[in-house]
Amino acid sequence: EVQLLESGGGLVQPGKSLRLFCAASGFTFSSFTMTWVRQAPGKGLEWVTAISGSGDTTYYADSVKGRFTISRDNSKNTLYLQIHSLRADDTAVYYCAKDSPSDYVDHWGQGTLVTVSS
Amino acid sequence: DIQMTQSPSTLSASVGDRVTITCRASQSISKWLAWYQQKPGKAPNLLIYKASTLEGGVPSRFSGSGSETEFTLTISSLQPDDFATYYCQQYSTFPYTFGQGTKLEIK
């Protein structure tokens, strides 16, 4: 059974940095592209970033390019999201997601809430 | 970036109704479209991929159709468990983008 468990969220001051984690199990982690999707309170889903199985290729939404960095450690079955210069509009639930071989998301974690406030 | 526009934003319907949600892409995405259902406080759940292929375990009352720029999600006979928010997502071109969502409410 695929399991994705996010952690690292919490209350953070504007301008600070934060690293989110996603522990994956139940599948061959290194074989699949992984994705982060976020959802601001009461709002819709926003695709944020994705990384290939090898980690060689990354993609970002324009809204986060330059401040967010996605990475992975295939030896630890762990996905990361480093966020710098946090802003109030980064407040959201951040979901870790596994892509299918055809690139749509087929499994989601339960999400971790990031709140940016002074 | 490819813009995805869903309509309506809110839909009020009754148990047993047939409902259709539309998703339009700002440029052709072939059939690279997925539909997700999300309930309050929960992660989204995959319903349909490649525009019309039902994910395993999803009830057959859900169906999808369309190609290029226009797509629909149809629920043939609404059940109480179907009242939720639905999102389309294109996975043709990065950055992959979602529609704004359609909230399906009980009339």
Side-chain angles (χ1 to χ4, degrees):
Chain A
E1 179 194 1
V2 171
Q3 292 196 21
L4 302 168
L5 185 61
E6 302 96 334
S7 60
L11 176 61
V12 188
Q13 292 180 328
K16 299 292 188 181
S17 297
L18 190 69
R19 195 181 200 194
L20 304 182
F21 303 81
C22 173
S25 61
F27 63 103
T28 304
F29 182 67
S30 60
S31 295
F32 294 92
T33 295
M34 297 294 293
T35 292
W36 288 98
V37 174
R38 68 180 179 181
Q39 186 169 37
K43 303 297 184 182
L45 301 172
E46 180 185 12
W47 184 92
V48 174
T49 180
I51 186 168
S52 63
S54 65
D56 289 347
T57 306
T58 58
Y59 307 89
Y60 294 93
D62 289 345
S63 59
V64 306
K65 209 173 288 184
R67 291 193 305 120
F68 286 30
T69 301
I70 189 172
S71 61
R72 64 193 297 161
D73 185 336
N74 287 343
S75 69
K76 296 182 178 178
N77 288 356
T78 302
L79 178 71
Y80 306 98
L81 183 64
Q82 180 75 49
I83 309 175
H84 295 292
S85 304
L86 276 154
R87 312 186 306 217
D89 63 358
D90 294 321
T91 294
V93 173
Y94 285 74
Y95 292 103
C96 165
K98 170 190 167 292
D99 286 14
S100 75
S102 300
D103 282 353
Y104 57 89
V105 169
D106 61 0
H107 290 88
W108 299 74
Q110 86 290 346
T112 186
L113 175 62
V114 173
T115 303
V116 183
S117 175
S118 55
Chain B
D1 298 0
I2 298 175
Q3 308 302 315
M4 305 300 293
T5 304
Q6 286 181 234
S7 59
S9 296
T10 307
L11 181 56
S12 296
S14 302
V15 172
D17 284 353
R18 178 185 180 91
V19 298
T20 297
I21 298 168
T22 297
C23 177
R24 290 187 172 88
S26 60
Q27 64 189 72
S28 175
I29 59 170
S30 185
K31 291 199 166 191
W32 306 120
L33 184 97
W35 289 97
Y36 301 91
Q37 177 194 66
Q38 187 181 34
K39 296 182 179 178
K42 300 294 186 182
N45 183 51
L46 174 67
L47 298 175
I48 287 169
Y49 60 92
K50 206 174 179 184
S52 60
T53 304
L54 205 63
E55 173 71 346
V58 174
S60 60
R61 63 181 179 272
F62 290 91
S63 64
S65 66
S67 64
E68 307 297 338
T69 62
E70 186 144 344
F71 303 86
T72 59
L73 172 70
T74 298
I75 309 172
S76 60
S77 178
L78 274 173
Q79 299 303 302
D81 191 50
D82 300 337
F83 292 95
T85 301
Y86 293 83
Y87 295 92
C88 62
Q89 185 203 16
Q90 66 83 15
Y91 55 100
S92 170
T93 305
F94 284 109
Y96 295 165
T97 43
F98 289 93
Q100 82 279 14
T102 294
K103 185 175 182 180
L104 182 51
E105 298 180 329
I106 300 174
K107 185 184 286 184

